């Protein structure tokens, strides 16, 4: 933490922040405990009664991106501490973290990364003007005067900025508009994936958490959608705390900031990031403790539920009937006057862009398969088919090819409806629909390759292959149309509920909320953990509007609007044995139908294979760029006087052309310690194999795997995060927030030693201890390590993967000492998936 930040965050203020954080988390944990019992009851009831929903026709793949990286390439990053632009080699692994290395050679030598960025909650900006507007709004009253230098200047016309309302900002730039478009698509895919950090596989923890967040905010009179319900649980709770804490800090610290406006803005960003990290650490510990207590109670609660299921259901229905008699007449009047007239308008606004996006998914899939079919016929049989199927199998995870589908959702506008129903932003609906698009594309691709794989043994010659591909494509498109209709109708119902229910609750609160306490006496004490008056009240309100919503969606389907099917229309399964094949096993076309193996370079037998890359290297299409000079560049431009014209590009090119391999080494030390703890030191520490989708030397990749099902899911990379190890899970102990703190290291210890959240913290290891690299405490946190230490790599339970090698990296850069060391992989910084499940689920 810098001196200026430390001045404003003295011991007294830090104590106040801790107390405020503890108070917010205490209230939330009480909500979570209540909602946990309700969610457990609903889960057991669902298990007993089963699901009567429509069956999906497409197959679902469980591990779509194993041993792959999304993209890797060179990009310029602005280093705030020395105010220099530096060329970095960026890798986007299968878990969608942003991992930045000194250069490509450091990545290939498995040296530790400089920066790990978890992009949950970030916005991707492509102009400095957009960024300055957000920065000016974050600290009201502090705006640079005309003619003064702004907080950031970019040496090219193609910036890429990651902005977060609380955490550190990241600044990048590229040389051409085409590069900017591709990087923007990659960054947005990372944000989209990381935002979806609450696993929907859990039928207890996830609903309990999201309902607790909603109940907590509603108790504070905050209804409607919330943009910061993104990331994993710890990130969401940190955002919840910061939402209350930051206005108070802004009013007390803001007036005391010194210097010119840009300097005050820079200091405020650093203060906000420092507070966010403090809150994150405290939140992680407190939420983990609350969740552990609930898990400890689970066997007893579940036993009670299974024993008394009928009595609990009867008691709940009795309570619901009493609340319904009191609330329903008022709710129906409110629905009739304030909601019903607008349902069709909201639905139409949702249907148009969403259906266009799904139609574009269908078109992209059709075009890719058709092009593959033509190329296979013209260029060669099975060998070419394998090559094209390798690319097609990960079409859904190609950010650039999927961008035309995702962009359709940018048209979503609720116009005056947004203000009427208190919808702060449509981003939650956009990202949810985009996640559905990606899943439908992957299901279609996986079904296609599964059916084609079945047929290959029966085919003779190119003509048979061509006809078979065309026939399978038509079958898959029929299945896609059916599943697309089902998914979209469910999305429309959920979105309509998420828009209208908070509005109704807010409207009814003055007349109904205060009277709910009298219904508490109707609940038997033994069942109080599973039946809540507040939840039952919301269910009654939901029932008051659900009929109108279901009718509106049904009418749209009957009229065949946007290619929606009626629920009564059953698609007869033309492939009765398809679902018997088992889902989730991806087909490795390269392994099953290998071509001529490439000779392995001498001395590389123990090196990792090249990890397959979903997106081709950007520079392949760009011709000669300064990134291809093969040298580590000097600083590109002092931001005090950088041009924003083509002259800036010319200067960058000249600077890179004059570069020598040893240049820049003298500045290495000042880059290593970033005030917000986002850069990793280069001396010792861990190589970033896990996040890069490769498993060299038996190192266990950490972060992407979900417990039990083998599905690679984003996992929060933070102190205390769980890292998969073999069949079980290891718990990483949270690090002490004290500079130069020492982590305990016992002889022969197998537990991962976490990084201190403070830059420069030293963590010695005991003799014989195996130490995977520490997890990042917050989005983009630092990975400090002891200098010159050698760390044995733990055995890996997963197969060894390949490392991607783009065509035009920076090479020849100076390699620091210890380059030959083996480094265990740090945990992926990525947490996961889009804004979690919708809080209101239709029955």
């Amino acid at each position: 933490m810098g001196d200026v930040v430390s001045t404003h965050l003295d011991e007294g203020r830090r104590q106040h922040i801790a107390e405020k954080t503890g108070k917010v988390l205490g209230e939330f944990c009480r909500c979570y405990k209540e909602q946990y019992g309700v969610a457990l009851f609903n889960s057991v009831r669902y298990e007993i009664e089963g699901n009567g929903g429509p069956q999906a026709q497409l197959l679902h793949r469980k591990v779509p991106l194993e041993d792959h990286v999304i993209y890797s390439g060179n990009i310029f990053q602005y280093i705030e501490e020395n105010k220099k632009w530096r060329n970095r080699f960026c890798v986007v692994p299968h878990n969608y973290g942003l991992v930045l290395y000194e250069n490509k050679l450091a990545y290939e030598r498995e040296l530790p990364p400089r920066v790990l960025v978890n992009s949950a909650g970030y916005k991707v900006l492509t102009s400095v003007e957009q960024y300055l507007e957000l920065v000016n709004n974050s600290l009201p009253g502090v705006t640079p005067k005309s003619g003064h230098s702004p907080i950031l200047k970019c040496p090219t016309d193609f910036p890429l900025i990651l902005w977060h309302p609380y955490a550190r900002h990241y600044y990048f730039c590229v040389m051409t508009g085409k590069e900017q478009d591709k990087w923007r698509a990659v960054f947005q895919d990372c944000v989209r994936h990381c935002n979806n950090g609450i696993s929907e596989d859990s039928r207890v923890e996830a609903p309990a958490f999201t309902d607790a967040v909603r109940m907590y905010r509603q108790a504070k009179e905050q209804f409607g959608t919330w943009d910061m319900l993104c990331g994993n649980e710890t990130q969401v709770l940190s955002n919840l705390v910061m939402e209350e804490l930051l206005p108070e800090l802004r009013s007390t610290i803001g007036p005391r900031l010194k210097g010119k406006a840009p300097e005050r803005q820079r200091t405020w960003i650093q203060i906000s990031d420092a507070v966010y990290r403090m809150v994150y650490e405290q939140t992680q510990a407190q939420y983990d403790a609350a969740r552990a207590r609930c898990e400890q109670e689970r066997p007893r609660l579940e036993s009670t539920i299974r024993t008394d299921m009928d009595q609990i259901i009867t008691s709940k229905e009795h309570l619901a009937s009493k609340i319904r008699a009191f609330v329903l007449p008022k709710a129906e009047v409110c629905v009739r006057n304030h909601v019903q007239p607008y349902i069709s308008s909201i639905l139409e606004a949702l249907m148009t862009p969403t259906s266009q996006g799904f139609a574009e998914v269908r078109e992209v899939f059709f075009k890719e398969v058709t092009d593959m079919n033509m190329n296979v016929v013209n260029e060669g049989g099975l060998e070419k088919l394998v090559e094209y199927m390798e690319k097609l199998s990960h079409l859904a995870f190609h950010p650039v090819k999927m961008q035309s589908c995702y962009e359709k959702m940018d048209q979503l506008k609720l116009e005056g409806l947004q203000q009427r129903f208190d919808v702060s932003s449509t981003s939650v609906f956009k990202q949810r629909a985009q996640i559905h698009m990606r899943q439908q594309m992957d299901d279609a691709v996986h079904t296609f390759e599964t059916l084609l794989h079945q047929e290959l043994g029966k085919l003779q010659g190119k003509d048979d292959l061509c006809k078979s591909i065309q026939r399978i494509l038509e079958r898959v498109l029929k299945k896609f149309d059916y599943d697309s209709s089902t998914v979209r109708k469910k999305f429309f119902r959920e979105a309509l509920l998420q828009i209208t229910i908070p509005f109704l609750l807010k409207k009814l609160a003055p007349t109904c909320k205060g009277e709910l306490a009298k219904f508490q006496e109707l609940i038997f004490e033994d069942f109080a953990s599973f039946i809540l008056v507040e939840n039952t009240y919301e269910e009654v309100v939901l029932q008051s509007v659900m009929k109108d919503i279901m009718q509106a969606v049904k009418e749209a389907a009957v009229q065949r609007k946007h290619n929606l099917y009626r629920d009564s229309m059953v698609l007869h399964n033309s492939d009765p044995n398809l679902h018997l094949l088992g889902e989730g096993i991806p087909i490795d076309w390269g392994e099953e139908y290998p071509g001529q193996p490439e000779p392995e370079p001498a001395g590389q037998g123990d090196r990792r294979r090249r990890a397959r890359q979903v997106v081709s290297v950007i520079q392949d299409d760009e011709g000669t760029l300064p990134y291809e000079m093969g040298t580590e560049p000097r600083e590109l431009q002092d931001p005090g006087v950088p041009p924003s014209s083509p002259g800036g590009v010319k200067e960058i090119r000249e600077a890179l052309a004059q570069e020598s391999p040893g240049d820049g080494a003298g500045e290495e030390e000042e880059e290593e310690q970033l005030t917000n703890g986002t850069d990793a030191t280069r001396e010792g520490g861990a190589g970033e194999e896990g996040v890069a989708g490769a498993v060299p030397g038996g190192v266990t990749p950490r972060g992407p795997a979900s417990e039990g099902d083998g599905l690679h899911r984003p996992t929060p990379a933070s102190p205390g995060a769980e890292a998969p190890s073999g069949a079980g899970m290891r718990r990483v102990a949270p690090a002490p927030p004290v500079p130069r703190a020492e982590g305990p290291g016992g002889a022969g210890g197998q537990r991962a030693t976490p990084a201190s959240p403070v830059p420069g913290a030293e963590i010695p290891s005991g003799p014989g201890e195996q130490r995977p690299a520490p997890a990042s405490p917050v989005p983009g946190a630092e990975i400090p390590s002891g200098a010159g230490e050698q760390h044995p790599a733990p055995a890996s339970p997963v197969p060894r993967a390949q490392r991607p090698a783009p065509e035009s990296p920076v090479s020849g850069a100076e390699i620091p000492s210890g380059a030959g060391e083996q480094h265990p992989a740090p945990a992926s910084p990525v947490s996961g998936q889009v804004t979690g499940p919708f809080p209101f689920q239709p029955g």
Side-chain angles (χ1 to χ4, degrees):
M1 190 181 299
D3 293 338
V4 176
V5 176
S6 300
T7 301
H8 293 286
L9 294 179
D10 54 23
E11 191 61 36
R13 195 172 299 280
R14 291 165 67 92
Q15 182 64 30
H16 173 73
I17 291 171
E19 291 174 358
K20 178 76 173 180
T21 302
K23 180 181 177 182
V24 172
L25 293 176
E27 293 179 27
F28 171 83
C29 289
R30 284 192 292 274
C31 289
Y32 179 77
K33 182 180 178 182
E34 293 175 348
Q35 296 300 326
Y36 188 90
V38 175
L40 183 60
F41 168 74
N42 291 335
S43 174
V44 175
R45 185 176 182 181
Y46 177 91
E47 176 190 324
I48 294 172
E49 296 178 355
N51 178 20
Q55 181 183 6
Q57 296 293 311
L58 296 171
L59 293 179
H60 177 67
R61 171 168 38 190
K62 291 185 178 178
V63 192
L65 284 176
E66 190 174 26
D67 296 340
H68 280 70
V69 296
I70 304 298
Y71 177 71
S72 62
N74 287 87
I75 190 169
F76 291 107
Q77 183 194 9
Y78 180 63
I79 309 299
E80 296 177 79
E81 283 60 43
N82 57 18
K83 299 182 180 178
K84 303 293 191 331
W85 287 87
R86 285 309 198 92
N87 201 350
R88 294 288 184 239
F89 185 71
C90 180
V91 177
V92 181
H94 56 74
N95 50 27
Y96 289 89
L98 290 175
V99 189
L100 285 94
Y101 291 85
E102 188 78 19
N103 48 42
K104 188 201 171 197
L105 197 56
Y107 168 67
E108 290 178 334
R109 297 247 181 142
E110 305 174 25
L111 297 177
R114 301 288 296 194
V115 182
L116 301 174
V117 183
N118 182 327
S119 54
Y122 278 86
K123 288 184 179 178
V124 182
L125 309 176
T126 53
S127 78
V128 175
E129 290 72 23
Q130 288 176 303
Y131 175 70
L132 294 179
E133 182 180 353
L134 289 170
V135 169
N136 292 339
N137 292 337
S138 68
L139 194 60
V142 180
T143 305
K145 296 180 181 178
S146 178
H148 286 202
S149 297
I151 186 174
L152 175 71
K153 287 187 178 180
C154 183
T156 77
D157 291 328
F158 309 104
L160 287 152
I161 301 170
L162 292 176
W163 176 88
H164 193 284
Y166 312 127
R168 177 183 180 167
H169 306 162
Y170 294 91
Y171 315 102
F172 305 96
C173 72
V174 290
M175 303 297 289
T176 67
K178 190 173 182 181
E179 283 185 274
Q180 186 188 46
D181 290 341
K182 287 191 175 182
W183 276 111
R184 176 173 170 266
V186 172
F187 283 3
Q188 284 182 333
D189 223 24
C190 291
V191 172
R192 188 180 301 114
H193 186 92
C194 294
N195 278 351
N196 197 33
I198 301 173
S199 172
E200 297 178 30
D201 288 345
S202 166
R203 294 192 179 278
V204 179
E205 288 82 2
F209 181 84
T210 52
D211 284 349
V213 170
R214 181 166 49 82
M215 291 296 186
Y216 177 86
R217 298 188 79 246
Q218 286 177 185
K220 305 287 184 181
E221 302 297 325
Q222 293 172 317
F223 297 85
T225 58
W226 185 39
D227 284 352
M228 295 309 293
L229 184 67
C230 48
N232 60 61
E233 290 87 344
T234 305
Q235 288 170 318
V236 171
L237 284 183
S238 299
N239 296 337
L240 193 69
V241 174
M242 292 296 289
E243 185 179 43
E244 295 191 26
L245 186 60
L246 205 62
E248 177 186 332
L249 293 177
R250 186 185 290 120
S251 63
T252 55
I253 295 178
R256 299 172 53 196
L257 298 176
K258 307 297 182 184
K260 295 181 179 178
E263 191 59 37
R264 281 183 281 168
Q265 289 175 336
R266 210 171 278 118
T267 302
W268 173 249
I269 293 170
Q270 293 175 357
I271 290 172
S272 176
D273 175 67
V275 172
Y276 185 71
R277 290 193 297 138
M278 292 166 54
V279 168
Y280 187 96
E281 291 174 10
Q282 185 174 344
T283 300
Q284 176 82 64
Q286 204 160 333
Y287 174 67
D288 281 351
R291 185 168 55 182
R293 288 193 295 270
C294 290
E295 286 296 319
Q296 192 174 2
E297 288 289 303
R298 179 167 180 166
R300 181 185 64 80
L301 294 175
E302 192 165 340
S303 175
T304 303
I305 292 171
R306 293 186 183 277
T307 303
D308 301 326
M309 173 65 78
D310 292 340
Q311 292 92 324
I312 296 174
I313 292 175
T314 302
S315 178
K316 183 177 179 180
E317 289 176 349
H318 177 66
L319 172 67
S321 66
K322 296 295 184 182
I323 295 179
R324 191 178 297 113
F326 170 68
V327 172
L328 200 55
K330 301 176 184 178
E332 287 177 343
V333 171
C334 191
V335 168
R336 187 165 56 250
N337 294 336
H338 301 288
V339 175
Q340 199 176 53
Y342 304 100
I343 287 179
S344 59
S345 301
I346 301 172
L347 180 59
E348 187 62 36
L350 289 167
M351 281 198 301
T352 301
T354 305
S355 297
Q356 287 177 358
F358 276 83
E360 183 68 14
V361 170
R362 189 186 196 277
E363 181 63 26
V364 170
F365 173 68
F366 174 81
K367 181 180 181 299
E368 290 290 326
V369 175
T370 303
D371 289 349
M372 179 191 74
N373 201 3
M374 295 174 60
N375 291 331
V376 166
V377 171
N378 294 333
E379 299 176 18
L382 184 60
E383 185 176 335
K384 276 294 177 184
L385 175 67
V386 170
E387 178 184 331
Y388 283 109
M389 285 304 300
E390 281 270 301
K391 297 177 181 177
L392 181 69
S393 64
H394 294 97
L395 175 61
F397 302 92
H398 195 299
V400 180
K401 289 184 178 179
M402 290 293 293
Q403 186 67 8
S404 63
C405 310
Y406 298 148
E407 284 175 346
K408 301 296 183 183
M409 288 305 298
D410 291 339
Q411 305 169 27
L412 175 59
K413 297 188 186 334
L414 297 178
E415 302 298 340
L417 300 171
Q418 190 166 330
Q419 287 73 35
R420 174 178 291 277
F421 290 98
D422 193 25
V423 178
S424 60
S425 170
T426 57
S427 62
V428 61
F429 308 113
K430 291 178 182 178
Q431 291 197 3
R432 188 69 181 172
Q434 289 164 346
I435 286 290
H436 284 314
M437 291 175 196
R438 184 172 68 188
Q439 186 61 61
Q440 286 298 109
M441 174 68 89
D442 191 50
D443 290 351
V445 168
H446 183 53
T447 305
F448 174 83
E449 65 177 350
T450 302
L451 290 170
L452 181 60
H453 188 256
Q454 280 184 305
E455 291 286 317
L456 285 182
K458 311 170 189 176
L459 302 178
Q460 296 180 354
K462 292 183 184 178
D463 290 342
D464 278 0
L465 180 59
C466 176
K467 292 176 183 177
S468 182
I469 289 175
Q470 186 62 32
R471 186 173 62 253
I472 292 171
L473 173 61
E474 292 172 0
R475 289 160 67 185
V476 172
L477 288 177
K478 288 180 182 178
K479 295 173 180 295
F480 176 87
D481 289 341
Y482 178 83
D483 279 12
S484 165
S485 173
T486 303
V487 168
R488 281 180 291 142
K489 285 191 295 184
K490 184 183 179 196
F491 168 71
F492 297 148
R493 289 192 292 263
E494 290 175 341
L496 283 167
L497 286 171
Q498 194 171 14
I499 291 170
T500 58
I501 295 296
F503 172 79
L504 288 171
L505 292 174
K506 187 175 182 179
K507 281 281 186 183
L508 294 170
T511 56
C512 297
K513 195 73 179 287
E515 302 295 324
L516 294 180
K518 66 183 182 182
F519 295 102
Q520 186 65 40
E521 62 187 25
L522 299 177
I523 303 174
F524 291 115
E525 186 177 351
D526 292 344
F527 303 152
S529 298
F530 317 117
I531 305 172
L532 298 179
V533 170
E534 187 75 23
N535 289 51
T536 309
Y537 162 67
E538 288 195 357
E539 289 175 10
V540 171
V541 175
L542 183 148
Q543 291 165 9
S544 70
V545 74
M546 191 64 190
K547 181 180 178 182
D548 293 314
I549 288 175
M550 296 291 284
Q551 184 63 30
V553 175
K554 181 180 178 180
E555 287 177 1
V558 168
Q559 297 170 18
R560 296 301 300 274
K561 284 186 177 181
H562 304 290
N563 203 30
L564 291 176
Y565 295 155
R566 301 190 306 273
D567 288 338
S568 59
M569 179 180 258
V570 178
L571 181 66
H572 295 288
N573 193 347
S574 57
D575 306 295
N577 296 322
L578 181 59
H579 286 269
L580 299 179
L581 295 175
E583 297 185 3
I585 304 174
I587 299 170
D588 193 330
W589 293 90
E591 290 289 337
E592 292 200 30
Y593 305 97
Q596 293 295 326
E598 295 183 8
E600 195 170 81
Q604 298 295 313
D606 294 331
R607 301 290 291 174
R608 53 191 154 188
R609 303 172 301 170
R610 291 180 182 274
R612 289 165 291 185
Q613 186 159 301
V614 174
V615 186
S616 60
V617 180
I618 288 174
Q619 289 86 343
D620 284 347
D621 304 323
E622 298 294 341
T624 303
L625 286 177
Y627 304 146
E628 297 173 285
M629 301 303 295
T631 58
E632 170 67 12
R634 290 192 197 95
E635 59 275 14
L636 300 182
Q637 193 77 20
D638 188 328
V641 288
S644 58
S645 63
V649 178
K650 183 178 178 183
E651 277 196 47
I652 294 175
R653 293 179 185 274
E654 291 174 356
L656 291 170
Q658 298 169 4
E659 200 59 51
S660 64
D663 248 359
E667 293 177 335
E668 175 184 330
E669 190 64 29
E670 64 179 326
E671 284 189 58
E672 290 177 356
Q673 305 299 336
L674 296 189
T675 57
N676 67 348
T678 55
D679 274 10
T681 55
R682 295 173 53 186
E683 310 154 319
E688 177 54 67
E689 293 106 7
V691 290
V695 191
V699 177
T700 306
R702 301 170 58 201
S706 172
E707 186 174 3
D709 62 0
L711 171 58
H712 281 253
R713 296 192 181 281
T715 301
S718 57
E722 290 182 350
S725 175
M729 304 289 288
R730 278 189 307 205
R731 170 70 62 179
V732 183
V738 183
R740 313 293 299 175
E742 296 188 355
Q750 297 293 322
R751 293 178 64 83
T753 307
S756 165
V758 181
E762 193 173 313
I763 307 178
S765 62
E769 184 178 18
Q770 293 184 348
R771 296 175 56 208
S776 161
V778 286
E782 179 177 2
I783 316 176
S785 61
E789 293 180 323
Q790 289 190 347
H791 309 295
S796 168
V798 296
R800 295 172 55 177
Q802 302 168 341
R803 178 70 81 179
E807 296 285 333
S808 52
V810 177
S811 58
E814 184 179 24
I815 305 302
S817 61
E821 298 173 356
Q822 286 189 330
H823 305 283
S828 160
V830 178
S831 58
Q833 310 172 35
V834 191
T835 54
F838 280 92
F840 300 105
Q841 299 288 345

